[in-house]
Amino acid sequence: MLPGVGVFGIGSTARVLVPLLKAEGFEVHALWGQSEEEACCLAKELGIPFHTSRSDDVLLHQDVDLVCIYIPPSMTRQIAVKALGIGKNVVCEKAATAIDSFKMVTAARYYPQLLSIMGNTLRFLPAFVAMRQMLLEGYVGEIQVCDVRVYGPSLLDQSYGWTCEELMGGGGLHTVGSAIIDLLSHLTGTRAHRVHGLLRTFVQQNSLIRGIRRVTSDDFCFFQMLMGGTRSSSCGVCCTVTLNFNMPGSFVQEVMVVGSTGRLVARGTELYGQRSGSNVEELLLGDSGWAGPEVKEMPLPHLRGLSSMVKALRQSFQAHEERRSWAQGPVAIAPTFEDGLYVQTVVEAVKRSSWSGEWECVEIMSQEPDPNHNLCEALQRNKN
Amino acid sequence: MLPGVGVFGIGSTARVLVPLLKAEGFEVHALWGQSEEEACCLAKELGIPFHTSRSDDVLLHQDVDLVCIYIPPSMTRQIAVKALGIGKNVVCEKAATAIDSFKMVTAARYYPQLLSIMGNTLRFLPAFVAMRQMLLEGYVGEIQVCDVRVYGPSLLDQSYGWTCEELMGGGGLHTVGSAIIDLLSHLTGTRAHRVHGLLRTFVQQNSLIRGIRRVTSDDFCFFQMLMGGTRSSSCGVCCTVTLNFNMPGSFVQEVMVVGSTGRLVARGTELYGQRSGSNVEELLLGDSGWAGPEVKEMPLPHLRGLSSMVKALRQSFQAHEERRSWAQGPVAIAPTFEDGLYVQTVVEAVKRSSWSGEWECVEIMSQEPDPNHNLCEALQRNKN
């Protein structure tokens, strides 16, 4: 039986998500927005019976068994951890910092019977499902290089807000790069151990953001990841990612994996491949056409990925009688909160590298840093 | 009046160059090859009256006024410097090291009345001539990012040789990357001051190179250059270059320049552009079709660039009555030996960065390092 859903967020993702959930048979019982008016307005538009600006009203709502959190990164951790504590299943967008991600991991570990997955959706895109399968079957041989490009128009909101602020989780690296980092570890089955990166904010002001306000989040980011390669026989995988959001016009996403005997390329939602022996590239998975809603702010690969994830959620919950029970199988490829922590750790290492100019190690946090650490050190110093 | 030409080299470039020279009305009087047999064979094939394996025979040939040097990098400096000393005009492929490049610069400075240009040919490709013009006219606004990809099949020769050896000037960075480094400084009108790079040799052995032999030259290279940006108002230009020669199938070259108000992209020999206001990419310069020779080893952009350079050479020499005199105008965009030294310096900085993992400064050599430096130091140490 399908669980009742509560949705956090009134942005473009939430706006797309609700119709997708309904199309799969989920009932959306409650909507949360930061302001009462915006929540009211969107709830009316989407036909959601209850709306609020108080998070507890959704989390404690008796018909809500699954909470979908699509809100700015700085707010996700708080809601996700609380939702798990109340015993709700959670699908959640990324957090703003590794510490927040770590707190989410701790909560998820504490409630293993609850569903807790990242709302990051490229893994579910059929082209990437097929790509991963073909990589496992050895289509490209040993993986050598992954090369990713994402180009698109500005990611900034119309008005000044978190998208302009690097520390609030804005910018191309955090918003789009994190989905790519997650995808590449999923495709290659390995993780980055060293990264190098360069971030730039080319457009620091525009017609809407001016005066004393300045954009601090990156609109150009370029990073390399060294992955795997622990076996002495292997060089490991070199990943290069270029993100450029100073490109008005259509969104371009190209993910290429090159191996010893061939290559696979996902362009947008289509998958192409070429084996070393062949002179032509073959279309391995075409785009079957998109009948769902079109959203200007949301590129097609993310939109279709989200749609496939909602389908997987339906299958996962459908398998059980009880509203809150779910089956592992259909959502097995979903990124866990642990994956979310890994991604956030890589994002922060790339930012560190951009400041230091050096290769930075990716070290996953294994315990929460003591918030009193600095205080203790100061006391220690005074003692001596 | 057109000068008589002597050609050094029996590789694929020389094989293409001779027909191109003849088509423009140049007479090719002499051909040099490393072995007498190979030189004889190619001279017969191309209808060149004289061939030799002794370089002086070409350099001192009385009908030769222009020497075209298309030989392995480790040998170019010696021939080029000697040719200038004998009073011949020189078109020369890159050297293997910055020290060799510096020696070529010294010779070129000593004989300013002689033509001395690098045989590097992408600058002359009509798409790049048009691109540079449009950049100067402000099509993209302020240049922010250059993004270049070159993909192709292995650059290794059939048998073991200099193409396999990093120290001999083999590898994607030295062979293809240097043409890109030169092109980007030409297009942007500025030079790299810091670089970061990563080189890999994924294929260290193949069916022809095996046993104790191992390829040391890179087949994958990825580097970033920070260029210009000395003005405080400007971020400078970030260039990212990805070279991958583990891609059997056709050659792909894409050079994109992104600016504040638009972008230009050269794909192969065609130029496309999109201004920020527009929703569609426009074809700015199509490929008019190539009637010249097809060469498997030589990608079309290089082939057409070479052809355009030969045309420019003809115009340059045609302007004067005297066989050895030439006009600056038609070859003004050609890379000088000074440009060659800059390119070689960047190549070496990228290699250093790949070893050190750090950003490396590009410092152009201003005087030849003392070959006795180490000896002197040793003597100094003994004294103390």
Side-chain angles (χ1 to χ4, degrees), chain B residues 71-78 94-96 100 162 167-169:
Chain B
I71 55 180
S74 59
M75 299 156 69
T76 52
R77 186 262 307 159
Q78 197 192 343
K94 59 196 157 297
D100 277 355
W162 71 272
L167 293 174
M168 300 277 282

Coordinates of all heavy atoms in Angstrom, one line a residue, chain B residues 71-78 94-96 100 162 167-169:
Chain B
I71 N 60.3 17.3 -39.0 CA 61.0 16.1 -38.6 C 60.7 15.9 -37.1 O 60.2 16.8 -36.4 CB 62.5 16.2 -38.9 CG1 63.1 17.5 -38.3 CG2 62.7 16.1 -40.4 CD1 64.5 17.7 -38.5
P72 N 61.1 14.8 -36.5 CA 60.9 14.6 -35.1 C 61.5 15.8 -34.2 O 62.5 16.3 -34.6 CB 61.6 13.3 -34.8 CG 61.6 12.5 -36.0 CD 61.7 13.6 -37.1
P73 N 60.8 16.1 -33.1 CA 61.1 17.3 -32.3 C 62.6 17.4 -31.9 O 63.1 18.5 -31.8 CB 60.2 17.2 -31.1 CG 59.1 16.3 -31.5 CD 59.6 15.4 -32.6
S74 N 63.2 16.2 -31.6 CA 64.5 16.3 -31.1 C 65.5 16.7 -32.1 O 66.7 17.0 -31.8 CB 64.9 14.9 -30.5 OG 64.8 14.0 -31.6
M75 N 65.2 16.8 -33.4 CA 66.1 17.1 -34.5 C 65.9 18.5 -35.1 O 66.7 19.0 -35.9 CB 66.0 16.0 -35.6 CG 66.4 14.6 -35.1 SD 65.6 13.4 -36.1 CE 66.6 13.6 -37.6
T76 N 64.8 19.1 -34.8 CA 64.4 20.4 -35.5 C 65.4 21.5 -35.2 O 65.8 22.2 -36.1 CB 63.0 20.8 -35.1 OG1 62.9 20.9 -33.6 CG2 61.9 19.9 -35.6
R77 N 65.8 21.7 -33.9 CA 66.6 22.8 -33.5 C 67.9 22.9 -34.3 O 68.2 23.9 -34.9 CB 66.9 22.7 -32.0 CG 67.6 23.9 -31.5 CD 69.1 23.8 -31.4 NE 69.5 22.5 -30.7 CZ 70.6 21.9 -30.8 NH1 71.6 22.4 -31.6 NH2 70.9 20.9 -30.1
Q78 N 68.5 21.8 -34.4 CA 69.8 21.7 -35.1 C 69.7 22.2 -36.6 O 70.5 23.0 -37.0 CB 70.3 20.3 -35.1 CG 71.7 20.0 -35.4 CD 72.0 18.5 -35.6 OE1 71.2 17.7 -35.3 NE2 73.1 18.2 -36.2
K94 N 57.9 22.2 -34.1 CA 58.4 22.4 -32.7 C 59.6 21.6 -32.3 O 59.9 20.6 -32.9 CB 57.3 22.2 -31.7 CG 56.7 20.7 -31.8 CD 55.4 20.6 -31.1 CE 54.6 19.4 -31.6 NZ 54.3 19.4 -33.0
A95 N 60.3 22.2 -31.3 CA 61.5 21.5 -30.8 C 61.1 20.6 -29.6 O 59.9 20.5 -29.2 CB 62.5 22.5 -30.3
A96 N 62.0 19.8 -29.1 CA 61.7 18.9 -28.0 C 61.7 19.5 -26.6 O 61.1 19.1 -25.7 CB 62.6 17.7 -28.1
D100 N 66.1 24.0 -26.5 CA 66.2 24.0 -27.9 C 65.4 25.1 -28.5 O 65.9 25.8 -29.5 CB 65.7 22.6 -28.5 CG 66.8 21.6 -28.4 OD1 68.0 21.9 -28.1 OD2 66.5 20.4 -28.8
W162 N 60.2 7.8 -31.5 CA 60.1 9.0 -30.7 C 58.6 9.3 -30.2 O 58.5 9.9 -29.1 CB 60.6 10.2 -31.4 CG 59.8 10.7 -32.6 CD1 59.8 10.3 -33.8 CD2 58.7 11.7 -32.5 NE1 58.9 10.9 -34.6 CE2 58.2 11.8 -33.8 CE3 58.2 12.5 -31.5 CZ2 57.1 12.6 -34.1 CZ3 57.1 13.3 -31.8 CH2 56.6 13.4 -33.1
L167 N 60.4 12.0 -23.4 CA 61.6 12.9 -23.5 C 62.0 13.2 -24.9 O 62.8 14.2 -25.1 CB 62.8 12.2 -22.7 CG 62.6 12.1 -21.2 CD1 63.8 11.3 -20.6 CD2 62.5 13.5 -20.6
M168 N 61.5 12.5 -25.9 CA 61.8 12.8 -27.3 C 60.7 13.7 -27.9 O 60.8 14.0 -29.1 CB 61.9 11.5 -28.1 CG 62.9 10.5 -27.6 SD 64.5 10.9 -28.3 CE 64.3 10.3 -29.9
G169 N 59.8 14.2 -27.1 CA 58.7 15.0 -27.6 C 57.5 14.3 -28.1 O 56.7 14.8 -28.9

